[in-house]
Amino acid sequence: DSGVTQTPKHLITATGQRVTLRCSPRSGDLSVYWYQQSLDQGLQFLIQYYNGEERAKGNILERFSAQQFPDLHSELNLSSLELGDSALYFCASSPLGYSEQFFGPGTRLTVL
Amino acid sequence: AQSVAQPEDQVNVAEGNPLTVKCTYSVSGNPYLFWYVQYPNRGLQFLLKYITGDNLVKGSYGFEAEFNKSQTSFHLKKPSALVSDSALYFCAVRDQAGTALIFGKGTTLSVSS
């Protein structure tokens, strides 16, 4: 158990809908990262937040957004969902510096 | 741009034999390298990292990795494989900004009894 929690574990929804994925980082970790894992794209970095502020962006679509709250939990919002958004979404956290990231169990999103 | 390559989609090894999962990298500046393992329907578990120092890095569950700067490689090794080591293994490098991890496509390790 990495100490990073994600809810829900599974999410099934329809095209055009909007969903919110939630992540709670390890105690004391200020950085939260979101990754998408799909069969065709592999593991891709989406976005990073540090202590409530956006720090870095990766291959994140404009339909997707995230935020980090004062209690350091983070939410990833996915809107106007398409079939191709079906994937496993991971949250990770880390302390300062170039340390390793600790991953949550992921949320499996299925768009029908 | 930083990148990693895992040249093998699958590695098969018999239980008790040594295993190697290959990784090569391309970075600007000093590499910060990581290995993660993913079991079915689970998140990624951190195994080990190379930041600086000794070229042989020891990690969790008996795994180790050898950093080779001249060959730009960071191969994962274990002296004696277990059936329970069967999983998907990812090599990763920290990006230039020191934020995201850039992952290889992964190598499936299959250990037979």
Side-chain angles (χ1 to χ4, degrees):
Chain A
D1 184 1
S2 67
V4 178
T5 60
Q6 288 187 249
T7 56
K9 287 189 74 173
H10 301 277
L11 202 46
I12 301 174
T13 188
T15 54
Q17 294 299 303
R18 173 189 167 94
V19 297
T20 297
L21 313 183
R22 183 188 168 104
C23 166
S24 292
R26 293 187 327 155
S27 177
D29 286 354
L30 298 179
S31 277
V32 169
Y33 309 79
W34 286 97
Y35 291 85
Q36 180 195 60
Q37 184 179 31
S38 62
L39 282 175
D40 52 345
Q41 299 290 329
L43 264 165
Q44 288 202 95
F45 167 68
L46 296 178
I47 196 164
Q48 179 205 3
Y49 275 79
Y50 175 78
N51 202 20
E53 293 191 3
E54 183 184 301
R55 178 61 68 92
K57 264 186 170 178
N59 297 322
I60 188 166
L61 300 171
E62 284 191 16
R63 302 183 284 109
F64 295 2
S65 65
Q67 52 185 330
Q68 186 179 26
F69 296 86
D71 67 352
L72 300 179
H73 91 271
S74 177
E75 293 180 356
L76 180 67
N77 301 296
L78 314 177
S79 61
S80 303
L81 284 167
E82 302 175 359
L83 296 178
D85 297 327
S86 295
L88 200 47
Y89 291 84
F90 287 110
C91 168
S93 74
S94 75
L96 287 174
Y98 286 76
S99 67
E100 60 272 27
Q101 297 176 14
F102 296 90
F103 284 74
T107 293
R108 183 169 294 282
L109 173 67
T110 302
V111 183
L112 301 175
Chain B
Q2 325 279 76
S3 66
V4 292
Q6 294 181 244
E8 301 155 317
D9 289 337
Q10 179 143 349
V11 170
N12 299 308
V13 64
E15 188 174 32
N17 283 358
L19 70 87
T20 298
V21 183
K22 295 179 180 177
C23 172
T24 58
Y25 65 89
S26 174
V27 302
S28 309
N30 295 323
Y32 295 86
L33 297 159
F34 304 83
W35 275 102
Y36 284 83
V37 60
Q38 185 178 25
Y39 295 97
N41 300 313
R42 301 279 295 277
L44 279 75
Q45 294 179 37
F46 168 73
L47 283 178
L48 50 78
K49 67 181 177 186
Y50 174 84
I51 304 296
T52 186
D54 197 350
N55 289 344
L56 185 64
V57 179
K58 293 195 182 295
S60 305
Y61 313 118
F63 284 93
E64 56 191 29
E66 188 169 9
F67 172 70
N68 188 317
K69 189 172 183 178
S70 62
Q71 296 187 4
T72 62
S73 67
F74 188 55
H75 300 331
L76 181 70
K77 302 181 183 224
K78 188 173 183 183
S80 178
L82 299 173
V83 171
S84 57
D85 292 330
S86 299
L88 183 57
Y89 289 80
F90 289 97
C91 181
V93 65
R94 200 91 184 205
D95 73 0
Q96 220 164 343
T99 53
L101 290 176
I102 299 169
F103 287 89
K105 62 181 181 176
T107 299
T108 298
L109 173 66
S110 178
V111 182
S112 56
S113 56

